[in-house]
Amino acid sequence: MALSFCGSNKCISNESISNKCVNAYSVDEGVLNNGCFVDALNLVPHVFLLFITFPILFIGWGSQSSKVQIHHNTWLHFPGHNLRWILTFSLLFVHVCEFAEGIVSNQNMDHLHLYMPAFMGFIAATTSVVYYHNIETSNFPKLLLVLFIYWVLAFITKSIKLWKYAEYNVGPQYLRFCITALLVILYALLMAVEMNVIRVRKYVFFTNPPKVKPPEDLQDLGVRFLQPFVNLLSKATYWWMNPLIIGAHKRPIELKKIGKLPIAMRALTNYLRLKDAYEDQRVKDPCRPPSIWRSMYRAFGRPILLSSTFRYLADLLGFAGPLCILGIVKHLKDVYFGVHFMSSSMLLQNTSVLAVLLFLALVLQRTFLQASYYVTIETGINLRGALLAMIYNKILRLSTSNMSMGEMTLGQINNLVAIETNQLMWFLFLCPNLWAMPVQIVMGVILLYYFLGFSALVGASVIVLLAPIQYLVATKLADTQKSTLEYSTDRLKKTTEILKGIKLLKLYAWENIFCDSVEETRGKELTSLKTFALYTSISIFMNTAIPIAAVLVTFVMHHLIDKTDPSPSEAFAALALFHILVTPLFLLSTVVRFAVKALVRLVCVKSCYCLNVLSALNGSSYFSVFVQVANGFFTWGSNLSTLSDINIRIPTGQLTMIVGQVGCGKSSLLLAMLGEMQTIEGSLNYSLFLTSAATNLKNRHSVAYAAQKSWLLNATVEENITFGSPFSKQRYKAVIDACSLQPDIDLLPFGDQTEIGERGINLSGGQRQRICVARALYQNTNIVFLDDPFSALDIHLSDHLMQEGILKFLEDDKRTVVLVTHKLQYLIHADWIIAMKDGSVLREGTLKDIQTHDIELYDHWKTLMNKQDQDLEKEEEEEEDDDNLSTTTNRRSKIPWKVCWCYLSSGGYFMVFLMVFSKLLKHSVIVAIDYWLALWTSSKTSGTSPTDSISSSRTTLTSETLDSYYLPVFIILCAAGITLCLITSLSVEFLGLSAATSLHHNLLNKIIHAPIRFFDITPLGQILNRFSADTNIIDQHIPPTLESLTRSTLLCLSAIGVISSITPAFLVALVPLAVAFYFIQKYFRVASKDLQDLDDSTQLPLLCHFSETAEGLTTIRAFRHEARFKQRMLELTDTNNTAYLFLSAANRWLEVRTDYLGAVIVLTAAGASIWSLRYGLPSGGLVGLGLTYALTVTNYLNWVVRNLADLEVQMSAVKKVKSFLSTESENYEGSMDTSQVPENWPQDGEIKIQDLCARYDPMLKPVLKHVNAYIKPGQKVGICGRTGSGKSSLSLAFFNMVDIFEGKIVIDGIDICKLPLQTLRSRLSIILQDPVLFSGSIRFNLDPERTCSDDRLWEALEIAQLKNMVKALPGGIDAVVTEGGENFSVGQRQLFCLARAFVRKSSIFIMDEATASIDMATENILQKVVMTAFADRTVVTIAHRVHTILTADLVIVMKRGNILEYDRPETLLEQADGMFASFVKADM
């Protein structure tokens, strides 16, 4: 057969419809009346375009090879950019249809003119868009003229063709007419787009064309998130992400790489948008309170509508799958038509055309679906940014009473930031589903009815009737999760307390009591988790079993009602529809639940918005007084006034001191002056005019403030001191010297550039306090408030700070200083003194005034001053900081199979076997059900039995025999499938639960019994993370991910197996597809892990910044640094949002690619089936089965990769927990048996220390070297020495808390190293330097073992001077102690610790600097008590203040781990050049 453009000469039914035998090239009836010539004319524009553009493109690319890698700042969209892309894609689609119609309608394949112009048109349209893209990126619009000429020419030639068709009465009933008309419209529209570009850009026909700049974002090279700026194709396929994702394989993605957000997506932009919408409501309707919902809709409604439109389009296109399957299976006998004109319906009966249509529909559906997801995610992130900014602004204005009265706790703030805003963001993600799903369900049911009639409605009703049960299960799940969360919060609170007080628990041998308490709460949590696992498995079971049940009911009903069985085409179209229907019905319950949750969350956000805020302070015009309070009554929120009848004045440029006993309201008075307390009545005025410093440009409105509880930022030492002020080297050095911080800074690994704060290196209390004071000194403010800056400092440091810092540095600056202190020896330096008592002012004036007017008070002060202490620095055992956190793992890791096995084996081998076996069986049964259905329906159409053995024995079977043969087996298989669905879902969930149980139990026991050194070198936050975030992942996230991964993997494998067995030809195409899939998942997993890490690591600083701000509110407001902190919050939010956006864009990148791969699988499966049919291979039913399975692959391919990536990230939690399980425990056994230790040991309290050498760890140097001492029963011993001399280490050695590697300590004749630890530690008593209280009751804190009578407890409280205070509390001895004992002052907490030690009637009592945080009056009482109540006990005091051990029987002076002096204090004082004598001298 000769191939020619117009075909050979023969009789054809051509344009003129009448039959004639003519020469194909004849133009006798006019040139335009020869159809072949008209088609040839249509080739001209395409050839013209290719002829002109190819040289431009190649020369352009050749001469500017950099053009291809053009920098994104030249992305510039010409007007009508998106419309042009949409029209071009439509044009390509129509050309494909034209090509298909030409080929199908040309029987002998010899008329090139029927499909050649279509083919060339397709190439020209593709070239036009490539050409346009290059012109746009290089911003050279003049070259667009070529395209304009092309559209005009194409429009003219196609119009001639259409006009000729109309002339010959070829109307819309013919497909070719419709296609030509469409092409004319598309060319006309593209011509209009081109004219619009000329009109706007004036690049031709106009004199001076305007210069156009790229958008502001693109001029900023830091903006790397290009989704809003790239062309439509790149937007749809996330092509611009390729360099990032592929590059991640070579080197990790860092913050620098992902850059900044475009302006429109930044938190500030969105906050202003939300705020404007909120304020507009207030303006329009002042009577009604503004609704936050309406504000959200007005600010972010439009993108949600756009996303919903995409979603509707995707859902409608989803139904093309079942319809095409119906068509392909129905028309499997290929028909070719001998005519050149064919109707549209004829084309749609061609299986190859349907296969291509199915492929295009799938590609479009998935593109729209991903676009819908992306738009909602972007909107959700914008909303979250706006809400975070709104909450932060509110927090900055919260009154301190909201925080202190517990109306707004740190936990609530963290919840608002981490959970509530994320829940609202998730709600937005799911929003389009709310209205798209019902439409999808209705459409699905209508189509089912169309395929199978009434029986389909019965099947669909099964799905619909079970939906409420799914909703019920979903709500139950939510409730269970709530109770689980309560238990886990409770467990975490207890674990935190244990870890914070671990030293005390070990010293008192109480770790098992507290461990049991955690295990008890964990038990409740696990019961709740069991219920959660049960409901989750029911939910998964219903999701997998409902389609099987629906199919079963449908086909059994069809058999009973219609007495006929469906054809394969109907059966498999219905099957595909059921698969489509289950997803929306299953998700609808989740979405509704989320919507309800979002409403609740919004109430939380709104309630935060309604909390009290602070009012501004008054300014007045006193000249000599800086602050004045007249008749002031102040409160922390309840109406009871904390401070009453306050009349004070703070003189300008002078030093004012506030003194008084513990808990008398000194700190409250400072905060009241800062405006942090609520004023009931009276006035508080600040002077706004300064007499002497009016010319001085100091920051007039802010107050430099150092709080009692030191507050540091997670930043470097330098940033903490400068606190946002400009850096001045000279001033910085002066401040560092005044606070004697230089020696401390020299010890830090990176000097003053070392990170400190919550996540940084742990500093001692004294260092933290001095940094806070340095911050107050460095700021250039008129007024400085210092709240007890000496409390954590020893006498040398206190004196230095007083002389150099306060008296010299601040007074030289003529600054007004208000100082709260217990150190009465400094009163002589005060210009003005305010003495407080019980919340009111006792006296006010200079020291001289008080000396003359209140002799009693002055004498009281004098006696306290004379007993002044010689402080020794608190001992901080300087440990080398093991920076565990900085070890970076190898990020190019493979899937952690070892860790997966560790997790699975924790769940028990039987459960692992059950899960694997039931999963494999279930999927085999599901395949068997569908295969059986294919055989059943095929047998009906062919009238023969499917299997060869049967067909050989009897060729024809009656319908009844067939049904009696197929129906029972079908029912049995379905029942087996449903049962197995339940077993698999239960096995996975309960495997996860038993793994979680054993991992947590082992982790808790390992950590609580770890040596004390472990807690010194492991940051508390790191340990807590294992119990919070990691345990939560193991409890709740790994099981569903594991279930989803195994299910989707097995579904994909079974689908590929089924298709390959039906059409072996498919295997040829499978190889390249598998290779493509391998590379996609390989690149994605690495990039996803990096982006996930970035998202996590940028979320932490944001959460820390919120909690940091809440903790340091008073400081931030005193300094007036709100704006700086706001700016920092916006930056942190944007950084986190950038990471999250890139992560979601990467997910879209993956899904688009796997979806397209799935579409190719469907196309190849359909193509292979159609091709195989020519060789008579599969039956129609089996083709339907293959295509149905191919459609499911598109849904599950991306789940395989996503779940694999998720599991990889989640398994790191197991890995971290596993790393702690290898921690060595303390040796609790000892060589002696408990029964060998006398009941009342130690009875006398005799201590012999023989050649003792001890260290904290075998790897470290000894802290005690060859120490020898003998302490007689009942002796009072004082131990003193400078920092690091080994005082505290010696006290720990008594409890065997350090590694004693030489020598021994013998107490009452028994070597303590031989004793079981529990026995040793439970028989001694100690009071630590830092008071530790646990939440619970006072009784629980004194006696957690519940062994003492009430009388004994009251006696202990009386000894500790607390009896009256406790009696006054509601509940008395059972009164509540809040977390960390925050409802008592530090001094009171220390007294409770003393009472706790008295309760344990031990003959040996150790006090480790126990009086450091008590005022002197209380300390004197204590000393008396120790001498009387402990007259018969051995007391070892580690001294902080030397005068406390002057009355001791024996004094031991230590230096560098050795005993330097050892004798009675009187004897030691006689050695004038001795160390002890020098300490006491310094004290006088």
Side-chain angles (χ1 to χ4, degrees):
M1 176 196 74
L3 196 65
S4 61
F5 187 71
C6 291
S8 51
N9 296 342
K10 57 175 162 181
C11 304
I12 47 170
S13 157
N14 201 357
E15 312 293 342
S16 57
I17 306 302
S18 55
N19 276 342
K20 285 181 193 172
C21 291
V22 289
N23 179 347
Y25 294 95
S26 132
V27 286
D28 301 342
E29 297 178 16
V31 177
L32 290 180
N33 289 333
N34 181 323
C36 182
F37 179 79
V38 173
D39 284 338
L41 193 63
N42 274 283
L43 270 175
V44 175
H46 309 324
V47 175
F48 159 79
L49 181 73
L50 295 175
F51 188 72
I52 290 193
T53 54
F54 266 75
I56 294 176
L57 283 175
F58 283 114
I59 292 165
W61 274 334
S63 64
Q64 304 174 335
S65 53
S66 63
K67 221 1 119 39
V68 188
Q69 290 298 326
I70 236 155
H71 196 283
H72 67 245
N73 64 358
T74 52
W75 276 114
L76 192 68
H77 288 175
F78 292 146
H81 169 92
N82 285 348
L83 181 61
R84 179 194 299 267
W85 277 88
I86 292 166
L87 290 172
T88 311
F89 281 131
S90 313
L91 188 63
L92 288 170
F93 176 69
V94 176
H95 277 313
V96 170
C97 294
E98 189 183 15
F99 183 73
E101 190 266 353
I103 283 190
V104 174
S105 63
N106 175 26
Q107 194 181 20
N108 297 325
M109 300 297 283
D110 58 349
H111 286 259
L112 272 178
H113 73 98
L114 288 179
Y115 49 87
M116 182 82 163
F119 177 69
M120 292 300 286
F122 185 86
I123 290 176
T126 312
T127 309
S128 78
V129 82
V130 173
Y131 179 71
Y132 167 75
H133 171 72
N134 277 281
I135 290 169
E136 195 175 49
T137 48
S138 52
N139 191 13
F140 202 69
K142 284 186 176 160
L143 290 174
L144 279 180
L145 204 54
V146 176
L147 283 183
F148 179 60
I149 296 167
Y150 168 61
W151 301 133
V152 173
L153 289 175
F155 175 70
I156 293 168
T157 53
K158 274 284 178 260
S159 301
I160 291 171
K161 190 173 178 179
L162 192 65
W163 161 55
K164 281 295 159 194
Y165 281 169
E167 209 172 88
Y168 280 91
N169 297 323
V170 176
Q173 72 271 34
Y174 295 109
L175 183 62
R176 204 175 306 167
F177 176 86
C178 302
I179 287 175
T180 311
L182 272 175
L183 286 169
V184 170
I185 293 167
L186 287 170
Y187 285 134
L189 288 170
L190 282 160
M191 201 161 65
V193 168
E194 217 60 78
M195 285 159 78
N196 185 46
V197 178
I198 295 175
R199 183 184 66 81
V200 177
R201 294 294 301 269
K202 301 186 167 78
Y203 63 83
V204 67
F205 311 134
F206 291 94
T207 43
N208 37 9
K211 275 210 165 123
V212 180
K213 269 189 177 173
E216 195 181 330
D217 285 314
L218 294 181
Q219 293 173 37
D220 179 354
L221 300 187
V223 174
R224 300 274 162 83
F225 190 79
L226 300 181
Q227 182 73 4
F229 310 110
V230 291
N231 64 51
L232 200 66
L233 184 65
S234 186
K235 258 197 183 104
T237 58
Y238 302 88
W239 194 261
W240 63 272
M241 288 283 289
N242 285 359
L244 181 84
I245 287 177
I246 293 165
H249 214 73
K250 295 191 186 79
R251 66 166 63 98
I253 299 174
E254 290 155 357
L255 270 180
K256 231 183 14 250
K257 231 179 192 171
I258 59 174
K260 293 187 285 199
L261 276 183
I263 293 165
M265 294 182 191
R266 289 180 194 164
L268 182 62
T269 317
N270 290 300
Y271 165 64
L272 293 173
R273 194 189 295 170
L274 184 64
K275 191 177 160 203
D276 291 345
Y278 195 77
E279 296 302 329
D280 281 355
Q281 289 184 61
R282 198 169 268 167
V283 173
K284 281 180 185 165
D285 194 351
C287 310
R288 260 171 67 185
S291 148
I292 205 157
W293 273 119
R294 208 172 303 133
S295 318
M296 274 163 53
Y297 174 72
R298 288 189 55 184
F300 305 108
R302 279 175 69 181
I304 292 293
L305 292 176
L306 175 68
S307 165
S308 306
T309 312
F310 284 149
R311 185 57 202 265
Y312 279 133
L313 287 169
D315 287 348
L316 292 175
L317 281 165
F319 292 115
L323 288 168
C324 288
I325 289 179
L326 179 78
I328 291 172
V329 180
K330 205 176 197 172
H331 303 296
L332 269 173
K333 303 285 176 287
D334 257 325
V335 183
Y336 286 108
F337 304 92
V339 287
H340 289 320
F341 279 98
M342 57 190 291
S343 66
S344 316
S345 60
M346 280 175 176
L347 183 73
L348 289 176
Q349 283 167 5
N350 183 296
T351 44
S352 307
V353 171
L354 280 173
V356 174
L357 274 180
L358 175 57
F359 169 72
L360 290 174
L362 276 176
V363 166
L364 267 180
Q365 183 224 348
R366 293 290 159 175
T367 308
F368 280 135
L369 190 64
Q370 298 306 336
S372 163
Y373 287 157
Y374 170 75
V375 174
T376 40
I377 284 173
E378 188 194 292
T379 314
I381 287 173
N382 289 344
L383 170 70
R384 176 169 166 257
L387 286 175
L388 285 176
M390 189 174 96
I391 292 167
Y392 193 79
N393 271 350
K394 189 70 188 181
I395 289 173
L396 278 178
R397 304 205 312 277
L398 267 189
S399 69
T400 319
S401 62
N402 285 130
M403 298 294 291
S404 61
M405 300 305 288
E407 285 172 40
M408 194 69 182
T409 61
L410 276 180
Q412 279 170 300
I413 287 173
N414 277 342
N415 270 352
L416 268 177
V417 177
I419 298 170
E420 322 291 18
T421 51
N422 282 356
Q423 289 274 14
L424 282 170
M425 177 168 83
W426 273 103
F427 169 67
L428 271 199
F429 295 174
L430 294 170
C431 238
N433 293 331
L434 262 181
W435 33 86
M437 281 176 178
V439 176
Q440 201 178 359
I441 292 166
V442 171
M443 280 285 298
V445 173
I446 292 170
L447 277 178
L448 270 175
Y449 181 71
Y450 166 68
F451 291 157
L452 295 176
F454 179 70
S455 58
L457 296 182
V458 181
S461 66
V462 170
I463 302 185
V464 174
L465 287 174
L466 289 175
I469 299 178
Q470 274 184 308
Y471 180 72
L472 190 72
V473 170
T475 44
K476 287 276 185 228
L477 259 176
D479 296 344
T480 318
Q481 201 165 14
K482 218 179 194 171
S483 65
T484 310
L485 189 69
E486 282 167 15
Y487 290 131
S488 67
T489 311
D490 196 20
R491 168 180 61 80
L492 203 60
K493 186 175 151 195
K494 286 183 175 174
T495 313
T496 311
E497 288 202 324
I498 287 181
L499 293 173
K500 280 184 176 167
I502 190 77
K503 190 173 177 184
L504 180 92
L505 294 184
K506 284 185 172 297
L507 290 168
Y508 273 79
W510 283 345
E511 57 263 70
N512 290 338
I513 298 172
F514 280 78
C515 185
D516 293 343
S517 147
V518 172
E519 287 283 19
E520 185 191 337
T521 312
R522 175 68 177 169
K524 291 178 190 166
E525 186 185 0
L526 284 171
T527 313
S528 185
L529 277 170
K530 262 185 200 136
T531 320
F532 184 74
L534 187 68
Y535 284 128
T536 310
S537 0
I538 292 172
S539 177
I540 293 169
F541 158 67
M542 291 185 80
N543 194 22
T544 45
I546 284 175
I548 303 176
V551 170
L552 174 67
V553 171
T554 304
F555 289 114
V556 172
M557 285 305 291
H558 196 281
H559 175 74
L560 295 175
I561 296 170
D562 297 5
K563 295 289 182 271
T564 60
D565 295 314
S567 65
S569 58
E570 291 166 349
F572 285 99
L575 201 60
L577 267 176
F578 278 125
H579 282 295
I580 289 178
L581 269 183
V582 168
T583 314
L585 278 164
F586 174 66
L587 277 179
L588 197 59
S589 53
T590 317
V591 175
V592 171
R593 199 175 80 247
F594 249 107
V596 175
K597 257 191 188 170
L599 284 166
V600 177
R601 302 297 177 198
L602 211 62
V603 172
C604 296
V605 174
K606 203 164 181 184
S607 66
C608 154
Y609 216 67
C610 299
L611 288 171
N612 298 343
V613 291
L614 292 178
S615 49
L617 296 171
N618 307 328
S620 77
S621 49
Y622 286 95
F623 285 92
S624 58
V625 179
F626 201 98
V627 186
Q628 175 153 27
V629 182
N631 194 21
F633 286 80
F634 300 96
T635 176
W636 280 123
S638 58
N639 284 332
L640 301 168
S641 57
T642 313
L643 298 177
S644 45
D645 197 22
I646 304 289
N647 289 287
I648 55 162
R649 59 194 199 85
I650 306 290
T652 302
Q654 293 187 337
L655 171 59
T656 305
M657 286 196 195
I658 304 178
V659 291
Q661 273 191 325
V662 172
C664 68
K666 303 183 294 297
S667 300
S668 297
L669 181 61
L670 270 196
L671 292 171
M673 287 194 277
L674 284 172
E676 292 289 336
M677 289 181 77
Q678 292 177 20
T679 311
I680 301 177
E681 58 176 279
S683 64
L684 163 67
N685 295 303
Y686 267 73
S687 151
L688 299 182
F689 309 104
L690 298 173
T691 46
S692 57
T695 51
N696 199 340
L697 293 172
K698 287 180 185 167
N699 181 354
R700 183 149 304 134
H701 297 295
S702 74
V703 173
Y705 168 67
Q708 184 177 16
K709 186 180 170 190
S710 51
W711 173 75
L712 299 178
L713 292 171
N714 289 319
T716 63
V717 177
E718 183 191 297
E719 284 164 348
N720 265 290
I721 293 173
T722 55
F723 202 59
S725 294
F727 183 77
S728 146
K729 196 169 180 184
Q730 191 184 349
R731 185 177 181 80
Y732 181 71
K733 190 163 179 356
V735 169
I736 293 274
D737 291 344
C739 299
S740 47
L741 276 167
Q742 199 53 53
D744 303 284
I745 288 175
D746 293 342
L747 286 174
L748 293 173
F750 306 109
D752 62 2
Q753 296 308 307
T754 309
E755 281 264 335
I756 55 173
E758 225 173 287
R759 287 172 298 128
I761 282 179
N762 293 332
L763 299 177
S764 71
Q767 290 166 327
R768 292 170 72 93
Q769 192 154 34
R770 279 176 293 145
I771 290 175
C772 289
V773 174
R775 177 198 298 153
L777 299 191
Y778 186 85
Q779 301 302 309
N780 216 347
T781 57
N782 295 317
I783 187 163
V784 182
F785 282 4
L786 302 174
D787 193 352
D788 204 1
F790 308 119
S791 60
L793 309 185
D794 62 50
I795 193 74
H796 308 300
L797 289 172
S798 299
D799 279 350
H800 184 86
L801 178 62
M802 186 69 200
Q803 294 300 332
E804 297 299 314
I806 296 172
L807 297 176
K808 197 164 161 216
F809 189 87
L810 291 177
E811 298 235 320
D812 285 358
D813 259 9
K814 293 279 189 291
R815 286 157 85 179
T816 307
V817 184
V818 181
L819 172 70
V820 169
T821 185
H822 286 298
K823 307 252 173 192
L824 301 179
Q825 71 266 39
Y826 298 143
L827 284 176
I828 45 171
H829 302 299
D831 301 312
W832 193 255
I833 298 171
I834 297 169
M836 302 278 299
K837 190 178 182 181
D838 302 334
S840 52
V841 176
L842 181 67
R843 272 270 167 239
E844 184 186 21
T846 60
L847 191 60
K848 238 187 185 138
D849 295 344
I850 292 170
Q851 193 177 347
T852 47
H853 295 110
D854 196 337
I855 299 162
E856 193 184 332
L857 178 65
Y858 183 74
D859 289 346
H860 175 61
W861 284 352
K862 209 168 169 59
T863 51
L864 290 176
M865 278 192 253
N866 290 343
K867 282 202 136 182
Q868 209 37 66
D869 48 339
Q870 159 61 37
D871 287 11
L872 296 168
E873 277 194 37
K874 281 192 185 181
E875 177 169 17
E876 256 104 32
E877 303 300 50
E878 295 292 343
E879 314 288 11
E880 297 81 55
D881 235 289
D882 291 17
D883 193 4
N884 300 25
L885 297 172
S886 68
T887 53
T888 51
T889 49
N890 175 22
R891 300 172 74 170
R892 314 295 95 211
S893 57
K894 304 223 166 17
I895 296 166
W897 296 117
K898 265 189 185 162
V899 180
C900 290
W901 177 242
C902 161
Y903 173 77
L904 290 171
S905 55
S906 305
Y909 296 111
F910 171 71
M911 291 301 289
V912 176
F913 167 75
L914 182 67
M915 178 189 89
V916 174
F917 180 70
S918 61
K919 280 262 174 197
L920 291 171
L921 199 59
K922 177 184 101 170
H923 283 278
S924 313
V925 171
I926 287 176
V927 171
I929 293 170
D930 294 340
Y931 182 68
W932 197 252
L933 185 65
L935 296 183
W936 183 11
T937 52
S938 302
S939 70
K940 275 308 168 70
T941 48
S942 61
T944 57
S945 168
T947 45
D948 296 334
S949 59
I950 297 175
S951 58
S952 61
S953 61
R954 40 196 148 138
T955 36
T956 317
L957 290 165
T958 61
S959 177
E960 281 78 17
T961 356
L962 273 175
D963 290 337
S964 62
Y965 171 68
Y966 285 112
L967 193 62
V969 178
F970 184 64
I971 292 171
I972 290 165
L973 283 172
C974 288
I978 289 170
T979 315
L980 282 165
C981 285
L982 183 62
I983 294 170
T984 51
S985 59
L986 282 169
S987 66
V988 176
E989 283 298 323
F990 281 87
L991 167 77
L993 191 67
S994 82
T997 309
S998 81
L999 283 170
H1000 180 273
H1001 174 76
N1002 296 344
L1003 177 70
L1004 182 67
N1005 278 311
K1006 268 289 179 201
I1007 285 190
I1008 223 158
H1009 295 120
I1012 198 75
R1013 166 80 185 153
F1014 170 76
F1015 299 96
D1016 290 339
I1017 62 172
T1018 316
L1020 176 68
Q1022 200 180 338
I1023 304 175
L1024 274 177
N1025 249 341
R1026 301 296 156 271
F1027 285 103
S1028 55
D1030 295 338
T1031 301
N1032 181 35
I1033 288 174
I1034 294 169
D1035 285 352
Q1036 295 190 13
H1037 294 146
I1038 294 181
T1041 308
L1042 193 63
E1043 203 286 328
S1044 183
L1045 176 66
T1046 47
R1047 182 163 47 126
S1048 41
T1049 309
L1050 286 170
L1051 269 164
C1052 287
L1053 291 176
S1054 55
I1056 287 166
V1058 167
I1059 301 167
S1060 309
S1061 63
I1062 294 167
T1063 46
F1066 174 73
L1067 286 169
V1068 179
L1070 191 61
V1071 178
L1073 288 174
V1075 170
F1077 179 73
Y1078 170 75
F1079 279 108
I1080 289 172
Q1081 64 84 34
K1082 177 181 159 187
Y1083 285 127
F1084 170 78
R1085 277 194 8 248
V1086 173
S1088 164
K1089 194 162 181 289
D1090 283 356
L1091 289 168
Q1092 188 90 48
D1093 288 350
L1094 276 183
D1095 179 43
D1096 293 345
S1097 64
T1098 52
Q1099 198 163 9
L1100 194 65
L1102 181 63
L1103 287 175
C1104 285
H1105 186 70
F1106 268 85
S1107 55
E1108 215 172 58
T1109 305
E1111 278 179 15
L1113 262 182
T1114 41
T1115 309
I1116 295 168
R1117 288 202 290 242
F1119 280 89
R1120 293 278 188 273
H1121 274 236
E1122 291 96 334
R1124 186 167 71 86
F1125 275 77
K1126 237 182 253 183
Q1127 186 53 40
R1128 178 83 184 121
M1129 189 279 311
L1130 291 171
E1131 283 165 17
L1132 289 170
T1133 307
D1134 284 341
T1135 311
N1136 181 228
N1137 284 351
T1138 312
Y1140 193 92
L1141 261 173
F1142 267 100
L1143 180 63
S1144 59
N1147 287 338
R1148 302 284 80 78
W1149 180 91
L1150 164 81
E1151 289 182 9
V1152 163
R1153 273 149 193 74
T1154 49
D1155 287 345
Y1156 290 175
L1157 263 187
V1160 174
I1161 289 176
V1162 173
L1163 181 65
T1164 43
S1169 309
I1170 294 161
W1171 180 76
S1172 308
L1173 256 187
R1174 305 200 168 168
Y1175 305 97
L1177 285 174
S1179 66
L1182 292 179
V1183 172
L1185 175 66
L1187 289 179
T1188 309
Y1189 269 78
L1191 272 181
T1192 55
V1193 171
T1194 48
N1195 290 328
Y1196 290 107
L1197 263 183
N1198 66 55
W1199 280 112
V1200 174
V1201 186
R1202 284 281 291 278
N1203 288 324
L1204 207 56
D1206 285 349
L1207 195 68
E1208 211 175 328
V1209 171
Q1210 288 165 6
M1211 277 297 159
S1212 66
V1214 180
K1215 195 175 174 185
K1216 289 173 191 166
V1217 168
K1218 196 179 160 206
S1219 72
F1220 272 17
L1221 291 179
S1222 54
T1223 312
E1224 292 255 330
S1225 296
E1226 278 187 290
N1227 178 16
Y1228 274 77
E1229 295 306 311
S1231 54
M1232 276 178 81
D1233 195 48
T1234 320
S1235 54
Q1236 295 171 279
V1237 185
E1239 267 299 307
N1240 53 359
W1241 178 91
Q1243 196 172 7
D1244 306 324
E1246 175 196 47
I1247 304 173
K1248 288 180 193 161
I1249 304 174
Q1250 298 169 357
D1251 198 33
L1252 178 72
C1253 296
R1255 59 195 169 193
Y1256 275 95
D1257 194 80
M1259 314 294 291
L1260 298 174
K1261 289 191 222 122
V1263 282
L1264 296 174
K1265 302 162 201 161
H1266 306 289
V1267 174
N1268 287 286
Y1270 174 64
I1271 299 170
K1272 293 177 193 159
Q1275 248 187 344
K1276 308 289 175 279
V1277 182
I1279 303 178
C1280 60
R1282 291 193 183 281
T1283 292
S1285 59
K1287 310 188 295 287
S1288 286
S1289 303
L1290 183 58
S1291 71
L1292 292 177
F1294 290 131
F1295 291 85
N1296 201 355
M1297 291 271 273
V1298 286
D1299 175 25
I1300 298 176
F1301 64 95
E1302 213 178 296
K1304 57 184 176 180
I1305 298 178
V1306 180
I1307 296 179
D1308 279 8
I1310 296 179
D1311 178 354
I1312 63 164
C1313 290
K1314 291 181 181 171
L1315 286 170
L1317 287 183
Q1318 194 75 19
T1319 312
L1320 166 68
R1321 292 172 186 172
S1322 60
R1323 305 284 177 90
L1324 307 179
S1325 268
I1326 185 167
I1327 303 173
L1328 290 174
Q1329 180 179 337
D1330 298 316
V1332 178
L1333 292 185
F1334 301 99
S1335 57
S1337 61
I1338 292 176
R1339 180 195 301 276
F1340 175 72
N1341 270 286
L1342 298 182
D1343 174 34
E1345 294 160 298
R1346 301 280 167 94
T1347 52
C1348 298
S1349 64
D1350 279 16
D1351 297 343
R1352 176 107 156 261
L1353 297 178
W1354 281 115
E1355 181 194 354
L1357 288 170
E1358 189 169 10
I1359 286 171
Q1361 314 292 311
L1362 289 167
K1363 189 174 180 180
N1364 295 337
M1365 192 269 291
V1366 173
K1367 268 191 171 164
L1369 293 173
I1373 207 162
D1374 292 305
V1376 177
V1377 179
T1378 57
E1379 198 174 340
E1382 290 288 337
N1383 52 346
F1384 298 105
S1385 73
V1386 180
Q1388 288 166 331
R1389 273 180 251 169
Q1390 191 61 285
L1391 295 175
F1392 274 116
C1393 294
L1394 282 163
R1396 180 194 286 153
F1398 293 139
V1399 168
R1400 181 175 276 190
K1401 290 270 194 237
S1402 167
S1403 62
I1404 296 177
F1405 181 63
I1406 295 158
M1407 291 172 72
D1408 184 357
E1409 302 187 351
T1411 56
S1413 51
I1414 302 179
D1415 63 283
M1416 276 158 263
T1418 319
E1419 193 193 340
N1420 290 338
I1421 299 165
L1422 265 182
Q1423 294 305 326
K1424 280 190 199 122
V1425 167
V1426 170
M1427 293 308 162
T1428 52
F1430 284 112
D1432 56 340
R1433 304 193 200 181
T1434 307
V1435 180
V1436 178
T1437 306
I1438 311 268
H1440 183 81
R1441 299 169 176 169
V1442 168
H1443 76 265
T1444 57
I1445 55 171
L1446 284 174
T1447 52
D1449 304 326
L1450 175 68
V1451 168
I1452 298 174
V1453 182
M1454 296 194 70
K1455 185 178 185 181
R1456 292 188 187 153
N1458 296 306
I1459 292 184
L1460 193 66
E1461 296 174 5
Y1462 173 93
D1463 214 325
R1464 298 181 62 78
E1466 301 84 66
T1467 321
L1468 290 178
L1469 282 172
E1470 286 164 12
Q1471 303 169 10
D1473 56 346
M1475 198 165 182
F1476 185 68
S1478 73
F1479 283 161
V1480 178
K1481 238 178 249 153
D1483 188 15
M1484 291 309 167

